[in-house]
Amino acid sequence: MKKMESTLTNMIVVLVGVALVTGCLLAVVNHITEGPKAAQKTLALAEGIRTVMGSSDVTVSKTDTVCMTVNGKPAELIVHRVAGGGAAVESQTMGFGGDLRVLVGFADDGTITGYTILQHAETPGLGAKAATWFQKDGKGNIIGKKAVKPLAVSKDGGEVDAITASTITSRAFLKAVNQAYAAYMQQSADAHTGATEIKKG
């Protein structure tokens, strides 16, 4: 077999060919793994809802999307209404290292029953502590509280202890919880609508 001549044209053809084959392979792998990823995400959400509602026997009766304007930016929160009362709300803000997605459970009256972190890019050993810091046995416990007055860290005049050396993550986490509370309470007052707009300054 004759060796291909080393010219600019031949190099470009080879590189384009490799890129096309690689791109096709990635597309095929993505298509094959799409279903299992979606199934895994659904299972993780179902487990999260059971965790934040504090019960292994939880049935979601209705799911709504609440459109909010937070600090001038659009945000969508997902409210999973639970049969028998209460809801689990998916909320997202920007943390120190990237998106911070939180699932917060609420009783009928708006009391926080639990939370779990669905996604974060916070610093390991610091901001990543949000998963436990605000739990019932954590230093910044928010379980059993209501965000009638928005929850805030003590540094900002609030009553919640921030994660040591991670004030930005703590503020982002509490912002996500406050948004979730606002969405839940708005949906409770206007439960017949599928999408409700809430404006926040």
Side-chain angles (χ1 to χ4, degrees), residues 51-112:
T51 299
V52 302
M53 298 308 295
S55 172
S56 58
D57 186 24
V58 174
T59 304
V60 174
S61 59
K62 185 180 180 185
T63 298
D64 289 310
T65 300
V66 178
C67 300
M68 300 177 70
T69 302
V70 181
N71 298 329
K73 295 181 181 177
E76 285 189 352
L77 288 84
I78 311 296
V79 180
H80 304 280
R81 292 221 159 263
V82 173
V89 183
E90 295 179 61
S91 180
Q92 181 173 316
T93 59
M94 180 60 72
F96 179 75
D99 287 338
L100 178 64
R101 285 181 60 232
V102 182
L103 182 68
V104 189
F106 296 99
D108 261 346
D109 64 354
T111 301
I112 297 169

Side-chain angles (χ1 to χ4, degrees), residues 116-183:
T116 188
I117 306 293
L118 296 175
Q119 173 191 338
H120 78 85
E122 304 306 281
T123 309
L126 293 173
K129 288 183 181 177
T132 56
W133 188 271
F134 303 100
Q135 298 288 3
K136 191 171 186 178
D137 298 325
K139 294 182 181 178
N141 177 23
I142 63 165
I143 310 304
K145 295 182 183 289
K146 286 186 190 178
V148 177
K149 177 185 174 188
L151 299 174
V153 296
S154 50
K155 191 180 268 191
D156 298 335
E159 299 176 355
V160 181
D161 289 335
I163 301 168
T164 308
S166 292
T167 306
I168 294 172
T169 299
S170 300
R171 285 175 175 146
F173 171 81
L174 293 177
K175 179 180 177 185
V177 172
N178 291 331
Q179 287 175 187
Y181 178 80

Side-chain angles (χ1 to χ4, degrees), residues 25-44:
L25 285 173
L26 287 172
V28 169
V29 169
N30 185 52
H31 180 70
I32 291 169
T33 59
E34 213 169 50
K37 278 188 205 172
Q40 186 59 40
K41 189 176 177 184
T42 301
L43 282 172

